[in-house]
Amino acid sequence: MHFGGYKMPEAPIKLLIVDDEPITRTTLSQIFVKMGHSVRSAADGFSALEQIREAMPDVLLSDLNMPGMSGFELLSVVRRRLPGIYVIATSGAYTGETIPQGIAADAFYQKATNFHSLVSLMEKAAHTPEKPLRGTSSKVPMWIPRSQRPASGEAYAMICCPECLRAFEQTVPVTDFLIAENKCVYCQTPIHYAIVQPLDPTTSQPFGRGRNGARLPQSVAELFGDGEPEPDGDKETYA
């Protein structure tokens, strides 16, 4: 069966959409429900992990720049603990279709650009016979936020060793998306980590980077040219 030129899946995919923008969650949920998928949504990484504990998704579509637990952190956790989930990362802070360095994803969609390319990525995920099999590679960085000491202005990060589970401070330079490797100060285990750049609270984007200005479709009818919008995507549950 086809809908708006796109092939409906033989079996609905369990999709989890993670984005801090309500209009984006609602619009994407409406579209993918209309395409025959089973959709739930979450506003940040912490809420997404709660949703995953309740029911495992087949596909995770996650924004990267979110307050609370960012998509960088969420995808690192998912790849390490639940590597069978097919992950599509999305952001307005990167350009092109290449997965940004250090992002634990199977595909990338540049937010608010050619929307049909996102639908095509979902089609590909829906018709992939087997989800990718992979181990919890040590090269998947642990994404952590950066803090700053008020007196000196020195930037640092609190790193928790995955081996001995002890936390320690690591001084870091003030740069965008630093990816580095250091040894645990206690057990000497190599730790591959990356620093999440602080977000502007007015845009949920890294400081100095604005939205790209492109407009998302505001309804299913606007994207496909017919039909009425489905109910609020935040209320959808897996079948």
Side-chain angles (χ1 to χ4, degrees):
M1 181 178 178
H2 287 71
F3 176 76
Y6 296 94
K7 186 178 180 181
M8 300 284 277
E10 295 180 2
I13 272 194
K14 294 178 181 179
L15 170 64
L16 177 58
I17 297 171
V18 190
D19 199 295
D20 61 312
E21 295 181 335
I23 184 62
T24 300
R25 293 196 305 273
T26 299
T27 302
L28 293 179
S29 295
Q30 291 172 349
I31 291 168
F32 289 120
V33 165
K34 198 75 172 180
M35 291 179 64
H37 300 297
S38 180
V39 181
R40 293 198 298 175
S41 63
D44 59 31
F46 291 119
S47 300
L49 290 177
E50 290 180 4
Q51 297 268 22
I52 291 172
R53 278 193 290 267
E54 293 176 3
M56 185 80 68
D58 300 312
V59 177
L60 176 66
L61 173 61
S62 178
D63 188 19
L64 294 177
N65 298 307
M66 298 180 291
M69 176 185 270
S70 71
F72 300 97
E73 299 165 278
L74 172 64
L75 300 191
S76 179
V77 171
V78 169
R79 179 55 54 86
R80 290 169 180 274
R81 297 184 178 179
L82 304 163
I85 295 177
Y86 194 96
V87 174
I88 302 173
T90 178
S91 175
Y94 296 94
T95 59
E97 299 178 356
T98 303
I99 301 171
Q101 182 184 11
I103 307 303
D106 298 292
F108 176 75
Y109 167 67
Q110 183 183 343
K111 204 170 187 180
T113 53
N114 179 4
F115 192 79
H116 283 204
S117 66
L118 175 58
V119 178
S120 297
L121 290 176
M122 271 299 299
E123 253 199 329
K124 180 179 178 181
H127 294 94
T128 299
E130 295 182 0
K131 295 298 180 286
L133 297 175
R134 53 202 160 216
T136 53
S137 171
S138 61
K139 289 303 180 183
V140 175
M142 177 191 306
W143 285 86
I144 50 181
R146 183 177 63 219
S147 301
Q148 199 163 1
R149 294 185 176 88
S152 65
E154 183 181 44
Y156 71 96
M158 287 298 299
I159 300 176
C160 182
C161 175
E163 184 66 27
C164 71
L165 302 182
R166 302 187 73 179
F168 60 95
E169 287 188 6
Q170 175 68 51
T171 301
V172 296
V174 182
T175 57
D176 291 353
F177 302 112
L178 170 72
I179 298 178
E181 183 175 298
N182 279 313
K183 291 184 178 180
C184 172
V185 299
Y186 300 105
C187 68
Q188 301 301 302
T189 297
I191 302 174
H192 195 59
Y193 68 93
I195 302 299
V196 180
Q197 188 179 1
L199 301 182
D200 182 340
T202 63
T203 63
S204 293
Q205 293 290 306
F207 282 104
R209 301 187 189 188
R211 301 286 186 193
N212 59 20
R215 179 177 176 276
L216 277 171
Q218 300 298 298
S219 68
V220 178
E222 185 176 335
L223 179 65
F224 292 108
D226 60 1
E228 295 296 326
E230 298 292 328
D232 189 334
D234 281 348
K235 299 180 181 178
E236 293 292 331
T237 57
Y238 294 155

